[in-house]
Amino acid sequence: MPLTPEQVNIIKACIPILKEGGVTLTTRFYQNMLSENPEVKGIFNQAHQATGAQPRALAHALLLYATYIDDLSKLTDLVERITAKHVVLNVQPEGYAIVGKYLIATMKEVLGEDVATPAVLEAWTAAYTDLAGLLIGIEEKMYEAGEWRGYRDFIVQQKIQETPNVVSLVLAPKDGRGVKPGKPGQYIGIKLNDEKYFANSAGTVRREYTLSDIGDGKTFRISVKKIPNGKASGFIHESLKVGDVVEIAPPEGDFVLAEPETTKNIIFIAGGIGITPIISLSKQVVSQYPNISATLVHAVHDPEDQPFTKELSSLEAESKGKYNVVSYYSKLSSTEAPNKTGHITSDDIKKLLPTSPEELQNTHVYYLGPLSFMTDISKYLSELNVEHTHREFFLPDQSLIVA
């Protein structure tokens, strides 16, 4: 049921409150919900809870929702990203009911009776119900369109140590029926089960990981960096073995090549493990679009920290000069050209861009990495007036934070 004009005005009147205390509200919300519902705890990355990334993202989402409550079309991109993440995590309608219950209860607790009046709580209940219905409807269509619904058993066919902190898993369907390859740049959902390792989240966790190789119709490959205090990445690195079974949800995501038929130049900019979707995109460019000139700029601490070096070298050789890799090593004092030391700057990116306006119009930049890295690159590209930019986010929607 649509909100009444009075309810819309009440939601908008909450904007200053969300700006000032939104993170306090969402932090308490997650504490309440996760402590009392261990069955949903595995959906939420506890490392993101510890750093505050998840509460900050939700606080920004609530603020945006309140701001555009009367014109949700302005949030289309955000809705598309949220629903794609939900589908690979196999979020179901009953999960929305739990979130709604604790969100409204926490508003009453944190804001107090003077602010969280019956009218305010009623307006937010109506707003959340309306939004949940919208998302559930979109997600149902996505579930129906997927190659399979929910999770499917896959076997760990290979486990490859790419660097001391990055492992790749080659995953094959247990039933042997093969898979439709995802698009380069997309990610899959993974459900890991271990009663002992994940005891505080009802024996399971769910995560999404980018396809570092879309495979040949028989397998997928994901590549996972071990995160400090990360339960899923820790389990994958320390406990998961070849032959083990994991549950996989089909590929989703829109960090894919845009207008490749008319693109003349591509610049890929990756920070650390942000290389995972970009290596898939690089393979696609080299194999399918030989007329595109592409450069990958990869920022890492040092060569030991850099995965896929052999694959990248092979792509350079295969492209016959149309694809080039430049590495930036932040912990080295010297290196050999074309690689560089230090961090990527605006001037570095400017030197990679074509000088003519026509060429610049046919140039696309794809970038991904840690939050501070994304913030810097976003700023540089804006200053350089680069129109065609594309980005993906590993943390809870960084688009709410990165301008």
Side-chain angles (χ1 to χ4, degrees):
M1 181 180 297
L3 277 69
T4 67
E6 181 182 358
Q7 288 173 330
V8 170
N9 289 334
I10 289 174
I11 297 297
K12 282 186 167 292
C14 292
I15 290 174
I17 297 171
L18 293 172
K19 285 182 178 179
E20 184 70 25
V23 175
T24 300
L25 170 67
T26 55
T27 299
R28 185 59 179 165
F29 155 75
Y30 279 118
Q31 290 171 347
N32 290 342
M33 182 181 70
L34 297 180
S35 66
E36 298 177 19
N37 296 272
E39 72 274 15
V40 303
K41 197 171 184 180
I43 300 175
F44 299 94
N45 191 318
Q46 296 308 297
H48 296 163
Q49 294 294 329
T51 63
Q54 187 84 54
R56 286 195 299 273
L58 178 57
H60 279 278
L62 289 174
L63 177 59
L64 285 178
Y65 182 57
T67 302
Y68 299 112
I69 186 70
D70 48 1
D71 186 9
L72 293 180
S73 64
K74 293 182 179 179
L75 299 180
T76 298
D77 289 347
L78 174 60
V79 168
E80 289 177 351
R81 285 192 296 273
I82 290 173
T83 52
K85 298 282 187 182
H86 283 182
V87 168
V88 299
L89 293 173
N90 199 33
V91 172
Q92 298 298 310
E94 53 266 29
Y96 282 96
I98 294 172
V99 169
K101 171 187 174 181
Y102 282 87
L103 181 61
I104 301 304
T106 306
M107 283 184 170
K108 186 175 181 179
E109 173 192 347
V110 173
L111 300 181
E113 294 183 357
D114 291 341
V115 175
T117 63
V120 168
L121 295 178
E122 184 178 342
W124 273 103
T125 298
Y128 178 80
T129 301
D130 192 52
L131 177 60
L134 171 67
L135 298 179
I136 289 170
I138 294 172
E139 289 160 15
E140 177 59 28
K141 291 179 180 178
M142 295 172 70
Y143 283 126
E144 291 176 353
E147 186 182 356
W148 66 90
R149 188 183 184 105
Y151 290 107
R152 180 178 170 190
D153 285 347
F154 276 63
I155 294 175
V156 179
Q157 194 175 83
Q158 296 180 60
K159 184 176 181 180
I160 305 161
Q161 195 76 43
E162 305 284 0
T163 74
N165 291 315
V166 176
V167 297
S168 289
L169 303 179
V170 177
L171 305 168
K174 185 179 179 182
D175 58 21
R177 290 190 289 115
V179 289
K180 180 181 177 180
K183 296 178 181 179
Q186 290 189 314
Y187 52 86
I188 58 175
I190 184 169
K191 184 179 180 184
L192 304 169
N193 303 298
D194 189 291
E195 291 292 339
K196 184 176 181 181
Y197 202 96
F198 304 120
N200 70 341
S201 56
T204 185
V205 297
R206 307 180 208 177
R207 297 290 184 267
E208 66 270 12
Y209 290 112
T210 304
L211 295 171
S212 57
D213 194 302
I214 63 171
D216 55 2
K218 298 179 181 179
T219 62
F220 290 135
R221 186 183 75 178
I222 60 173
S223 302
V224 181
K225 180 179 179 180
K226 188 175 183 180
I227 305 299
N229 301 315
K231 294 296 290 185
S233 66
F235 179 79
I236 288 170
H237 276 255
E238 298 163 7
S239 300
L240 199 62
K241 305 181 299 297
V242 171
D244 285 350
V245 175
V246 297
E247 297 180 57
I248 299 295
E252 290 288 350
D254 59 2
F255 187 62
V256 297
L257 289 184
E259 305 173 351
E261 292 82 6
T262 58
T263 300
K264 292 185 178 180
N265 304 288
I266 288 179
I267 299 173
F268 296 117
I269 307 175
I273 197 62
I275 187 66
T276 49
I278 285 177
I279 190 168
S280 288
L281 293 170
S282 295
K283 291 176 182 179
Q284 183 182 18
V285 168
V286 172
S287 64
Q288 298 180 24
Y289 302 100
N291 292 329
I292 295 178
S293 295
T295 298
L296 165 63
V297 180
H298 191 196
V300 292
H301 292 313
D302 52 50
E304 187 182 45
D305 194 42
Q306 190 169 24
F308 314 127
T309 52
K310 291 183 178 179
E311 291 180 55
L312 293 174
S313 295
S314 296
L315 288 175
E316 285 186 291
E318 182 183 344
S319 74
K320 299 179 181 178
K322 298 287 285 186
Y323 177 84
N324 298 285
V325 178
V326 179
S327 300
Y328 279 70
Y329 299 120
S330 62
K331 290 188 175 181
L332 295 188
S333 58
S334 63
T335 188
E336 296 182 0
N339 300 328
K340 300 186 178 183
T341 60
H343 299 280
I344 302 169
T345 68
S346 179
D347 284 342
D348 293 327
I349 297 175
K350 183 177 181 180
K351 291 174 183 176
L352 296 172
L353 295 171
T355 55
S356 76
E358 181 181 356
E359 286 285 314
L360 185 59
Q361 183 63 29
N362 291 311
T363 297
H364 288 248
V365 179
Y366 299 77
Y367 64 105
L368 175 58
L371 178 56
S372 59
F373 177 88
M374 296 281 284
T375 302
D376 289 342
I377 301 301
S378 177
K379 176 185 175 184
Y380 300 155
L381 294 174
S382 177
E383 292 171 348
L384 294 168
N385 298 314
V386 180
E387 180 179 351
H388 302 300
T389 64
H390 315 271
R391 59 193 183 184
E392 182 60 283
F393 305 94
F394 281 154
L395 289 177
D397 210 319
Q398 294 177 9
S399 64
L400 303 174
I401 302 168
V402 179

